[in-house]
């Protein structure tokens, strides 16, 4: 038997769970490995299969466990005949969104590959398609076939018709996935005729007729299925026949729902002589199968009489069915794009930093999320400069994300004259989800946004979902069907904080962009490299790009693509043309991305990341040159750079030689700075390490620096060490807390300037701070001297003499300020640039929120 997934739908209380459990048991008795998943908050679908034992639901389990770190065996149980049993569960009535709960439960089961050990999956779903969450099992990436359970009651038939509408929304007139109607008798007047008229009108067969029998009441008391009882062969034959049908060449049909008026005419207002007022579907036939080898065809004719024809061919209706094989092909095509994303989720589940911890009382505590996956995905995706990014979110979410993206770009432009197109003017729009979409769904709205964006002819359209769209279960993945080879539609189901934190959003963005854009047929060629995992938001990103671009240019090597810095869709498609890839920085996220690219695309990576500091840059140049067989070019580059380095050291030496340096840092190699300070004759007195990376302590490759490092660090300890070592310069992450004194203090950027001059940039700033400190001291001293002169003159001189003394004091104060100004004006051009930069940053901060809001309004109306 081919593996398949079956969804059983019907009105609440119609008997879906009983029928599902008996069909599942019938399949299991034939040797089929079956998993039944209850998708109702009542979580009673598998009760009979478990012989009355209540099992933990997936959603109750996820209250205390992260979906990536949880254990499948704690929600997957084994029932009668080895049947797998899972209950999705749901929130308390009237609280939250139970439909979103179904989505979360399915995500957990997919992440942990719950279905892989089974041949058939049976989804027993809540009574009606009330929202996108409960419609998940009927989506094409899940259900191969859908059975409708109904009686002859009008509301039961109404629910069945409503389910057909839901299926039609997904399948339109393209796919055929309805397996037929299961008629669960209630022994009502005109019941059979009603069901048959409805079946004929929607062009579906009645594949099973479940008689009203005491077998079900007995089974309920015995806490088992009717298939496990003795003495009820008629009932058991129904389910055995249905199992045979499922295991065979199962015919499938298109969903053809009726309008409300049409349904009422068919069910409640039949025409004269019993003929339905509404003509039946294309063939005018409905199949009623009541036995394993029997079949009855109800033909609706002009007289309205039913003609029962016995047969054994298993065929019904002309041109109205599809085979399981075709259905699986359609499903495979639909799932193709989803598989890679799920594989990504599975890989990152092991590599991502755990966001759950257990405290002393064994209570699970979730770590703080730093930003959300929606924000991270958007911040990363905008670096595809010719793509159109659609935020499927409320307006406020889009605003805060846009502000986060554009603020660094504006600062770089205003302060440094560096243009970052993706940040200054991101091609970013928003669907503006509101209350209407939250209640009724926003898929059509985002579909319209995609169609509108395509008119601009971007390189790609990227849709990123937020919390709201994730909670209401919008089927954004279906928008991938709008893709063309020239203009792919890339869906990022970030779902805001539901999808995780900021970094998880970046990971999702990188993987989806790679999977959708990289052409696997492209072969390495030419002298070029790719830059991998540059920092998303940092003032030094574009500076570093210019530096590495210049270094590589001297080796006659160009940059092919930036994954993901400002680049284009075409460059990403040609990603594999680069024979070598270079990580921007050594980090867990970067190494994880490297491993993924190596495994998926067989990419070759340089051993070293982008270099920071003179000695590291020297080694890096030789490494890259060896890869491209141009080592002979390196000596000339080094000769020029070393001369420049020594020249700049000599300019700084008078200010820094002999100065005592105290520093705190994260746990990373700091030789690029320590070696430069050592070259100038500075004294490193103490190094406090903030080991938040939880890695072995390693600050330097030099023993004398490594011996100075300690993880015992706090603000009081830093203050104590400053006094003890008489530090002149304090480099610390706590600059605002350690107080003032006869020292200058500075902090480091998270992303350092790369290349030969990394350490020099920092030390130049220290000289600047020392000059400023000296100028301030000089100004204070001149002011103090002037005040003392005023006081002396006032004590023994006349009023006019006192006035003259005051004028002299004022002149002294002004002279002091002038001296301070002269000291600062003696800066180098780079120092003056930094002064102007700081002033510009201070001015930029004023009214920034209002400025951002006005800019945002320009883009979003």
């Amino acid at each position: 038997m081919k593996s398949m997934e079956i969804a059983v739908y019907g009105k609440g209380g119609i008997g879906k769970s009983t029928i599902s459990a008996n069909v599942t048991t019938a399949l299991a008795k034939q040797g089929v490995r079956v998993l039944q998943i209850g998708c109702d908050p009542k979580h009673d679908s598998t009760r009979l299969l478990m012989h009355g034992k209540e099992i933990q639901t997936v959603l109750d389990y996820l209250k205390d466990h992260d979906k990536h770190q949880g254990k499948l065996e704690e929600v997957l149980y084994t029932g009668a005949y080895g049947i797998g049993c899972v209950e999705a569960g749901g929130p308390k009535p009237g609280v939250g969104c139970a439909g979103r709960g179904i989505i979360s439960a399915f995500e957990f089961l997919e992440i942990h590959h719950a279905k892989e050990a089974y041949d058939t999956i049976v989804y027993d779903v809540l009574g009606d398609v009330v929202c996108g969450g409960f419609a998940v099992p009927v989506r094409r990436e899940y259900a191969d076939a859908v059975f409708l359970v109904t009686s002859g009651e009008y509301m039961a038939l109404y629910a069945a018709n409503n389910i057909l509408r839901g299926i039609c929304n997904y399948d339109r007139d393209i796919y055929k996935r309805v397996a037929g109607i299961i008629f669960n008798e209630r022994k009502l007047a005109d019941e059979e005729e009603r069901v048959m008229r409805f079946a004929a009108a929607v062009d579906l067969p009645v594949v099973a007729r479940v008689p009203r029998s005491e077998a079900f009441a007995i089974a309920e008391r015995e806490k088992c299925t009717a298939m496990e009882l003795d003495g009820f062969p008629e009932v058991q034959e129904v389910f055995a026949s249905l199992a045979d049908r499922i295991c065979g060449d199962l015919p499938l049909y298109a969903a053809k729902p009726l309008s409300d008026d049409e349904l009422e005419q068919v069910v409640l207002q039949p025409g004269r002589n019993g003929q339905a007022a509404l003509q039946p579907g294309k063939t005018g036939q409905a199949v009623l199968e009541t036995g394993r080898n029997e079949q009855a065809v109800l033909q609706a004719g002009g007289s309205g009489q039913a003609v029962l024809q016995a047969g054994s061919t298993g065929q019904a209706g002309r041109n109205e069915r599809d085979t399981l094989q075709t259905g699986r092909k359609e499903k495979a095509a639909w799932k193709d794009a989803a598989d890679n994303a799920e594989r990504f989720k599975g890989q990152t589940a092991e590599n991502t930093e755990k966001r759950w911890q257990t405290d002393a009382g064994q209570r699970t505590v979730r770590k703080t999320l730093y930003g959300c996956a929606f924000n991270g995905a958007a911040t990363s995706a905008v670096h595809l400069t010719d793509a159109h990014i659609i935020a499927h979110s409320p307006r406020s979410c889009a605003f805060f994300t846009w502000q986060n993206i554009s603020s660094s770009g504006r600062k770089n432009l205003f302060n440094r004259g560096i243009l970052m197109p993706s940040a200054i003017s991101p091609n970013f729009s928003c669907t503006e989800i509101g209350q209407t979409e939250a209640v009724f769904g926003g898929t059509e709205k985002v579909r319209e946004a995609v169609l509108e964006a395509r008119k601009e002819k971007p390189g790609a359209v990227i849709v990123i979902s937020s919390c709201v769209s994730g909670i209401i279960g919008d089927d954004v993945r279906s928008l991938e069907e709008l893709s063309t080879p020239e203009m792919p539609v890339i869906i990022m189901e970030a779902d805001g904080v539901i999808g995780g934190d900021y970094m998880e959003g970046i990971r999702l963005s990188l993987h989806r962009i790679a999977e959708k854009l990289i052409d696997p047929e492209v072969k390495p060629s030419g002298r070029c490299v790719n830059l991998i995992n540059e920092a998303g938001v940092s003032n030094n990103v574009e500076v570093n790009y210019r530096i590495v671009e210049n270094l590589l240019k001297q080796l006659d090597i160009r940059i092919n693509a930036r994954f993901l810095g400002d680049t284009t869709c075409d460059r990403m498609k040609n990603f594999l043309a680069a024979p070598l890839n270079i990580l921007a920085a050594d980090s867990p996220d970067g190494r994880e991305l490297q491993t993924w690219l190596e495994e998926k695309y067989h990419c070759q990576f340089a051993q070293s990341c982008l270099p920071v500091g003179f000695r590291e840059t020297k080694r890096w140049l030789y490494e890259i040159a060896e890869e491209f067989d141009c080592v002979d070019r390196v000596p000339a580059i080094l000769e020029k750079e070393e001369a420049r380095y020594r020249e700049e050291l000599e300019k700084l030496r008078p200010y820094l030689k002999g100065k005592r340096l105290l520093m705190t840092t994260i746990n990373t190699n700091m030789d690029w700075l320590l070696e430069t300070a050592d070259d100038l004759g500075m004294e490193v007195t103490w190094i406090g390490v903030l080991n938040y990376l939880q890695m072995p302590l390693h600050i330097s490759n030099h023993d004398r620096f490594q011996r100075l490092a300690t993880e015992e660090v706090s603000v009081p300890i830093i203050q104590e060490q400053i006094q003890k070592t008489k530090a002149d310069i304090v480099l610390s992450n706590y600059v605002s807390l350690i107080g003032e004194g006869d020292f200058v203090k500075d902090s480091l950027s998270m992303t350092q300037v790369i290349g030969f001059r990394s350490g020099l940039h920092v030390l130049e700033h220290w000289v600047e701070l020392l000059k400023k400190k000296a100028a301030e001291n000089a100004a204070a001293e001149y002011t103090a001297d002037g005040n003392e002169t005023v006081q002396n003159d006032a004590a023994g001189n006349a009023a006019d003499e006192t006035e003259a003394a005051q004028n002299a004091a004022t002149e002294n104060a002004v002279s002091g300020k002038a001296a301070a100004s002269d000291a600062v004006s003696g800066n180098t051009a780079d120092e003056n640039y930094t002064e102007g930069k700081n002033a510009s940053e201070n001015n930029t901060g004023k009214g920034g929120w209002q400025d951002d809001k006005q800019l945002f309004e320009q883009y979003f109306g």
Side-chain angles (χ1 to χ4, degrees):
M1 171 189 174
K2 298 175 181 177
S3 63
M4 66 180 306
E5 299 182 37
I6 298 169
V8 181
Y9 277 82
K11 177 182 176 294
I14 200 61
K16 293 184 308 301
S17 295
T18 299
I19 289 172
S20 297
N22 279 281
V23 170
T24 296
T25 304
L27 288 166
K29 290 178 73 172
Q30 294 185 21
V32 179
R33 298 174 301 169
V34 193
L35 169 64
Q36 182 162 318
I37 302 175
C39 304
D40 190 318
K42 296 194 306 293
H43 57 84
D44 59 355
S45 174
T46 61
R47 187 174 60 87
L48 298 180
L49 299 175
M50 293 298 301
H51 293 169
K53 177 183 177 181
E54 187 171 334
I55 63 178
Q56 179 170 228
T57 69
V58 176
L59 291 183
D60 282 344
Y61 182 73
L62 290 178
K63 288 179 183 177
D64 301 316
H65 299 81
D66 178 75
K67 64 183 178 182
H68 291 290
Q69 306 300 331
K71 296 179 180 179
L72 179 63
E73 60 266 27
E74 296 189 19
V75 296
L76 175 59
Y77 295 78
T78 302
Y81 300 99
I83 296 169
C85 298
V86 171
E87 292 286 355
K92 295 178 181 179
V95 178
C97 177
R100 175 64 218 182
I102 296 295
I103 296 173
S104 298
F106 275 41
E107 287 176 348
F108 177 84
L109 297 176
E110 291 288 335
I111 288 169
H112 296 282
H113 311 287
K115 298 183 288 187
E116 291 182 355
Y118 299 94
D119 303 316
T120 299
I121 315 299
V122 176
Y123 301 102
D124 176 18
V125 193
L126 183 72
D128 201 350
V129 184
V130 293
C131 72
F134 289 111
V136 167
V138 84
R139 293 182 182 178
R140 290 193 294 276
E141 62 263 45
Y142 289 102
D144 297 300
V146 181
F147 286 99
L148 306 179
V149 180
T150 187
S151 66
E153 296 164 295
Y154 179 76
M155 291 311 298
L157 291 167
Y158 182 91
N161 189 63
N162 218 32
I163 293 160
L164 288 175
R165 290 176 178 171
I167 297 171
C168 191
N169 284 337
Y170 291 116
D171 293 356
R172 294 182 173 85
D173 57 352
I174 303 173
Y175 303 95
K176 299 178 180 180
R177 291 190 300 135
V178 185
I181 295 171
I182 298 175
F183 175 22
N184 193 18
E185 289 187 341
R186 289 289 190 265
K187 293 299 182 182
L188 306 173
D190 193 38
E191 183 177 29
E192 179 177 327
E193 289 76 12
R194 284 186 173 192
V195 173
M196 297 310 171
R197 291 196 300 267
F198 173 76
V202 296
D203 224 1
L204 290 175
V206 178
V207 296
R209 180 173 183 164
V210 182
R212 194 166 183 82
S213 169
E214 66 176 350
F216 299 108
I218 295 172
E220 187 77 14
R221 288 197 302 270
E222 296 294 327
K223 297 181 180 179
C224 66
T225 63
M227 290 298 295
E228 298 174 74
L229 299 176
D230 294 326
F232 298 94
E234 180 184 4
V235 171
Q236 293 170 348
E237 183 66 12
V238 172
F239 295 113
S241 178
L242 196 52
D244 282 347
R245 185 180 183 89
I246 292 170
C247 292
D249 195 17
L250 180 64
L252 298 174
Y253 304 80
K256 300 177 181 178
L258 308 176
S259 68
D260 288 348
D261 289 341
E262 290 171 341
L263 178 67
E264 187 171 337
Q265 291 175 29
V266 168
V267 178
L268 300 179
Q269 302 172 9
R272 294 179 181 179
N273 302 321
Q275 182 179 1
L278 179 69
Q279 293 298 317
K282 191 180 296 184
T283 66
Q285 296 180 339
V287 181
L288 176 61
E289 294 188 1
T290 57
R292 184 174 299 188
N293 298 311
E294 292 183 338
Q295 180 180 62
V297 181
L298 177 66
Q299 297 181 329
S303 64
Q305 296 178 343
V307 181
L308 294 178
Q309 298 179 335
S312 58
T313 62
Q315 297 180 349
R318 292 178 301 176
N319 305 320
E320 290 305 305
R321 66 189 177 193
D322 201 1
T323 63
L324 175 61
Q325 181 178 3
T326 302
R328 286 186 56 74
K329 286 181 179 177
E330 293 169 346
K331 178 183 176 183
W334 175 254
K335 276 189 171 182
D336 183 58
D339 287 343
N340 284 333
E342 295 306 321
R343 177 190 174 199
F344 152 59
K345 290 181 180 179
Q347 287 176 339
T348 56
E350 297 177 356
N351 299 327
T352 305
E353 179 187 1
K354 293 181 179 179
R355 293 189 284 112
W356 295 77
Q357 291 181 329
T358 304
D359 62 16
Q362 297 303 306
R363 179 174 60 87
T364 303
V365 181
R366 191 178 188 183
K367 286 187 176 180
T368 302
L369 289 179
Y370 297 100
C372 71
F374 168 78
N375 196 333
T379 301
S380 174
V382 295
H383 289 293
L384 277 176
T385 54
D386 60 342
H388 186 110
I389 316 300
I390 298 175
H392 187 37
S393 72
R395 183 181 176 91
S396 57
C397 295
F399 166 67
F400 287 115
T401 297
W402 179 88
Q403 197 276 339
N404 180 55
I405 292 168
S406 61
S407 60
S408 63
R410 295 197 303 276
K411 286 180 180 179
N412 264 315
L413 179 63
F414 299 150
N415 298 337
R416 300 185 177 189
I418 297 173
L419 181 62
M420 302 167 61
S422 63
I424 287 293
S425 181
N427 198 3
F428 189 71
S429 64
C430 175
T431 58
E432 300 187 19
I433 293 178
Q435 180 173 308
T436 301
E437 290 76 30
V439 175
F440 299 104
T443 304
E444 286 306 312
K445 191 167 188 178
V446 72
R447 177 182 290 271
E448 293 171 4
V450 171
L451 294 174
E452 187 65 26
R454 287 174 54 177
K455 296 178 182 178
E456 303 171 7
K457 300 188 182 304
V461 177
I462 299 176
V463 177
I464 305 175
S465 62
S466 64
C467 294
V468 178
S469 56
I471 289 170
I472 63 180
D474 278 346
D475 186 19
V476 291
R477 180 66 63 82
S478 65
L479 300 175
E480 290 184 340
E481 66 187 26
L482 299 176
S483 293
T484 65
E486 299 77 22
M487 195 187 308
V489 176
I490 304 174
I491 306 301
M492 297 181 186
E493 293 175 295
D495 292 354
V497 295
I498 299 172
D501 64 11
Y502 184 86
M503 291 307 301
E504 288 181 67
I506 290 178
R507 294 185 196 104
L508 171 63
S509 174
L510 294 176
H511 284 249
R512 293 293 289 161
I513 287 172
E515 290 162 349
K516 286 297 183 180
L517 291 183
I518 292 177
D519 185 351
E521 302 300 320
V522 173
K523 304 300 179 184
S525 62
R527 299 176 62 84
C528 59
V529 300
N530 295 322
L531 293 185
I532 308 297
N533 206 44
E534 295 176 81
V537 180
S538 171
N539 289 338
N540 289 331
V541 170
E542 291 304 312
V543 172
N544 285 347
Y545 174 73
R546 294 183 181 185
I547 292 172
V548 71
E549 184 181 41
N550 181 60
L551 289 173
L552 292 171
K553 185 177 181 180
Q554 295 180 70
L555 297 176
D556 192 27
I557 300 170
R558 63 180 177 85
I559 296 176
N560 176 59
R562 301 169 67 182
F563 185 51
L564 197 64
D566 285 359
T567 193
T568 65
C569 294
D570 281 341
R571 283 179 176 259
M572 284 303 304
K573 290 175 183 177
N574 202 42
F575 181 84
L576 296 181
L580 188 67
N581 297 273
I582 303 172
L583 272 183
D586 192 358
S587 68
D589 295 304
R591 292 300 179 186
E592 178 190 327
L593 181 60
Q594 174 181 339
T595 299
W596 186 77
L597 289 170
E598 288 172 337
E599 292 177 353
K600 187 172 182 64
Y601 298 105
H602 308 291
C603 293
Q604 181 73 31
F605 274 79
Q607 183 176 354
S608 302
C609 303
L610 292 183
V612 181
F614 190 92
R615 292 166 178 81
E616 190 176 321
T617 304
K618 179 178 179 180
R619 290 190 294 268
W620 182 84
L621 273 178
Y622 273 112
E623 178 188 339
I624 301 302
E626 287 177 2
E627 291 285 347
F628 289 91
D629 195 25
C630 57
V631 175
D632 57 314
R633 293 173 178 259
V634 176
I637 300 172
L638 294 181
E639 182 179 358
K640 179 183 66 175
E641 292 294 342
E642 185 157 4
R644 182 184 179 192
Y645 178 78
R646 296 300 173 190
E647 180 181 348
E648 295 189 19
L649 280 180
E650 293 308 312
K651 292 180 182 178
L652 300 175
R653 193 179 302 279
Y655 303 98
L656 295 176
K657 183 178 180 180
K659 296 294 184 183
R660 292 177 295 276
L661 170 64
L662 180 149
M663 61 186 291
T664 62
T665 179
I666 61 173
N667 188 11
T668 186
N669 193 316
M670 294 296 294
D671 276 338
W672 62 274
L673 180 60
L674 294 170
E675 289 172 348
T676 307
D678 193 53
D679 288 342
L680 276 174
M682 296 182 68
E683 178 186 353
V684 180
T685 61
W686 183 81
I687 304 174
V689 182
L690 305 173
N691 194 3
Y692 81 87
L693 296 178
Q694 301 301 307
M695 297 171 65
L697 187 64
H698 181 72
I699 294 299
S700 172
N701 293 319
H702 304 283
D703 289 341
R704 62 192 178 94
F705 292 137
Q706 189 69 15
R707 286 194 297 270
L708 295 172
T710 176
E711 292 185 54
E712 296 182 10
V713 57
S714 65
V715 172
I717 291 176
I718 295 172
Q719 292 172 332
E720 178 185 346
Q721 289 295 328
I722 291 173
Q723 297 299 320
K724 180 179 179 180
T725 63
K726 295 181 173 55
D728 299 300
I729 300 170
V730 177
L731 184 66
S732 175
N733 301 81
Y734 300 105
V735 289
S736 62
L737 301 176
I738 59 178
E740 302 296 331
D742 194 21
F743 56 86
V744 298
K745 51 189 179 181
D746 194 15
S747 61
L748 290 177
S749 170
M750 289 297 292
T751 302
Q752 301 304 323
V753 175
I754 67 166
F756 292 103
R757 301 184 73 252
S758 304
L760 290 172
H761 283 294
V762 176
L763 270 62
E764 285 170 354
H765 189 233
W766 293 350
V767 170
E768 183 181 312
L769 293 175
L770 289 169
K771 288 181 178 179
K772 184 177 180 181
K773 183 76 172 178
E776 290 172 350
N777 290 340
E781 182 179 346
Y782 275 111
T783 302
D785 290 344
N787 288 336
E788 184 177 352
T789 302
V790 170
Q791 293 172 2
N792 292 335
D793 288 345
N797 297 329
D800 56 343
E801 292 174 336
T802 301
E803 183 178 357
Q806 288 175 333
N807 291 337
T810 302
E811 290 176 4
N812 285 339
V814 172
S815 298
K817 292 179 180 178
S821 177
D822 290 342
V824 175
S825 66
N827 291 347
T828 64
D830 285 345
E831 291 164 344
N832 285 330
Y833 159 78
T834 304
E835 288 289 332
K837 166 182 172 297
N838 292 336
S840 179
E841 286 180 340
N842 291 334
N843 291 330
T844 303
K846 299 175 182 178
W849 172 264
Q850 186 64 29
D851 294 341
D852 288 347
K853 186 175 180 181
Q854 291 172 353
L855 286 167
F856 180 80
E857 293 291 342
Q858 293 177 13
Y859 285 96
F860 291 89

